[in-house]
Amino acid sequence: MNDASPDAPRTTRFKTRIFSGIQPSGGLTLGNYLGALKRFVEKQNEGIEAIYCLVDLHAITVWQEPAKLRQQTREAAAGFIAAGIDPERSILFNQSQVSAHAELAWVFNCVARVGWMNRMTQFKDKAGKDKEAASLGLYAYPALMAADILAYHATHVPVGEDQRQHLELTRDIAIKFNHDYGTDFFPVTEPLIEGVATRVMSLRDGTKKMSKSDPSDMSRINLTDNADTIAQKFRKAKTDPEPLPQAIAALEARPEAKNLVNIYAALAGTDPQTVLDEFAGQGFGAFKPKLAELAVEVLAPISAEMGRLMQDPAQIDAILGRGADRAKAIAQPILDRCFEIVGMVRSRRG
Ligand code: AQP
């Protein structure tokens, strides 16, 4: 699916700039890789200015053990670099090192309406049955996400399908801000939801998305899993007894089968029909080992490079620090101007 080309007319006043983020709330998964990271690298390699952020402020909307959060942030940074993000060409940093995100989020908390937040399905999913016990941060999460994007006047945001609703809210916030203050200061950002793996599903339940915080490690492939673990997880992945069909339509009622075919297609850089053309008539006993083999071929070099980078955490911290300085140089003037528009006295800068 391609929601908007980078030349989309609504944002032509603004320079094309991509922003996207991933929460360091666990180890990166195959879902994060195929739905986001792989496409971040493609966008960077198309020469588009790109800002990529490890959104640690988002991560603490649910409990994070501090030492683990630090480790996960460094590991995610290593994952970005190992997957092909060049921290010289793109900006790579962790969110909490640029205070403009939290400051702009406050302004957006005052622009967004409670009714808008009440419609956010991610809050409902993550808060579960006991909504009263969820953090206020989890509820306000989408306003912070809007701030992440709009602090850079980002015009395009590559994300997986699960983030579509939050992107809509970011657009609503920009439109309302511009309307309330009689300005066209913020761009109405376009989502980029592209490819065959915009929604990679759990290996244990084809109706649930693959997620780094799922209690079952068997539900996901982690970028750091070794070849044996990957093979075992695919071998044990829930499927059905039918062979793979010839027609895509026949996968509609078979979510687990559809998920594995989509994963194969995304890893192979092809489309699901091509996968079915090759495997139609074969059962999962034959398909799963091929899928595992392909996944290992793609992920093993990334995992090995992550391991190498993780041996030097000081180097990762230095990269994140440099990225934060570059990010701040873009975000601070935008935040200052936003405060001016809102009516704050600005008698000192920074
Ligand atoms: N299963 C998925 N399929 C496709 N894309 C996915 N993304 C996440 N899971 C899938 C995309 O990865 C980017 C970063 O997401 P995130 O880590 O900020 O938050 P998330 O979507 O909530 O991811 P998780 O893994 O489910 O994290 P937890 O478990 O902490 O909530 C986004 O672009 C997202 O679309």
Side-chain angles (χ1 to χ4, degrees):
M1 205 175 333
N2 186 350
D3 284 74
S5 82
D7 306 318
R10 295 197 68 157
T11 53
T12 45
R13 195 175 76 76
F14 296 91
K15 182 171 172 245
T16 298
R17 179 182 285 152
I18 277 175
F19 177 94
S20 201
I22 291 189
Q23 295 187 74
S25 46
L28 296 178
T29 69
L30 184 62
N32 294 134
Y33 177 69
L34 294 175
L37 202 42
K38 184 168 184 273
R39 296 184 23 258
F40 296 173
V41 176
E42 288 163 8
K43 295 293 161 201
Q44 167 193 269
N45 294 345
E46 283 168 25
I48 301 172
E49 181 186 5
I51 302 171
Y52 295 125
C53 186
L54 305 166
V55 289
D56 47 11
L57 296 174
H58 283 277
I60 61 164
T61 56
V62 298
W63 169 251
Q64 303 292 333
E65 209 275 299
K68 264 178 95 179
L69 178 60
R70 255 188 297 278
Q71 150 83 14
Q72 285 161 190
T73 304
R74 292 182 180 126
E75 192 179 279
F80 271 64
I81 298 165
I85 294 298
D86 173 356
E88 298 302 318
R89 285 164 70 195
S90 298
I91 295 179
L92 176 64
F93 70 108
N94 59 310
Q95 186 185 26
S96 60
Q97 297 210 74
V98 180
S99 60
H101 293 245
E103 293 177 75
L104 188 57
W106 182 258
V107 177
F108 289 166
N109 281 341
C110 302
V111 172
R113 305 289 92 182
V114 168
W116 300 359
M117 296 296 171
N118 287 342
R119 287 193 285 277
M120 294 296 111
T121 55
Q122 179 171 290
F123 176 75
K124 291 178 194 159
D125 292 347
K126 287 199 174 174
K129 288 200 181 73
D130 194 1
K131 293 192 178 33
E132 299 287 310
S135 75
L136 187 54
L138 187 63
Y139 188 69
Y141 182 116
L144 177 58
M145 181 165 159
D148 299 337
I149 296 163
L150 296 174
Y152 300 93
H153 277 181
T155 54
H156 298 83
V157 182
V159 279
E161 178 63 40
D162 59 313
Q163 294 299 326
R164 181 185 290 281
Q165 197 186 31
H166 287 164
L167 257 299
E168 282 296 325
L169 192 112
T170 298
R171 292 163 63 89
D172 290 343
I173 287 176
I175 291 167
K176 181 160 164 47
F177 181 97
N178 289 347
H179 176 265
D180 290 353
Y181 292 100
T183 176
D184 58 356
F185 184 62
F186 286 115
V188 181
T189 304
E190 302 284 349
L192 295 173
I193 302 175
E194 303 163 322
V196 288
T198 56
R199 195 165 170 82
V200 177
M201 309 310 278
S202 158
L203 300 181
R204 310 302 296 165
D205 178 352
T207 62
K208 250 175 72 182
K209 95 169 174 154
M210 183 180 287
S211 180
K212 50 179 123 60
S213 58
D214 190 301
S216 165
D217 193 56
M218 292 302 283
S219 70
R220 62 179 162 262
I221 304 289
N222 304 302
L223 292 196
T224 49
D225 284 343
N226 63 28
D228 288 346
T229 308
I230 291 175
Q232 191 203 24
K233 285 180 175 176
F234 277 126
R235 198 166 51 244
K236 298 214 162 159
K238 186 177 167 202
T239 38
D240 56 47
E242 302 299 317
L244 284 166
Q246 175 63 55
I248 294 275
L251 287 176
E252 275 320 308
R254 301 171 61 188
E256 285 83 15
K258 181 179 173 184
N259 187 37
L260 295 190
V261 169
N262 282 347
I263 292 175
Y264 191 103
L267 286 168
T270 179
D271 57 86
Q273 187 58 63
T274 308
V275 179
L276 290 184
D277 290 345
E278 189 180 341
F279 290 100
Q282 297 188 35
F284 286 99
F287 182 67
K288 283 175 168 179
K290 295 273 185 214
L291 175 57
E293 207 176 293
L294 177 61
V296 169
E297 194 183 310
V298 173
L299 300 183
I302 298 176
S303 161
E305 181 61 5
M306 280 174 79
R308 197 188 64 76
L309 291 164
M310 283 301 283
Q311 283 170 6
D312 191 354
Q315 171 67 10
I316 294 178
D317 291 3
I319 288 171
L320 294 176
R322 276 199 302 278
D325 289 342
R326 290 167 66 201
K328 187 175 175 195
I330 300 172
Q332 192 62 46
I334 291 175
L335 178 71
D336 282 330
R337 179 71 194 120
C338 172
F339 279 148
E340 269 164 9
I341 290 171
V342 169
M344 310 292 182
V345 172
R346 309 296 289 159
S347 50
R348 60 179 286 279
R349 295 272 162 175

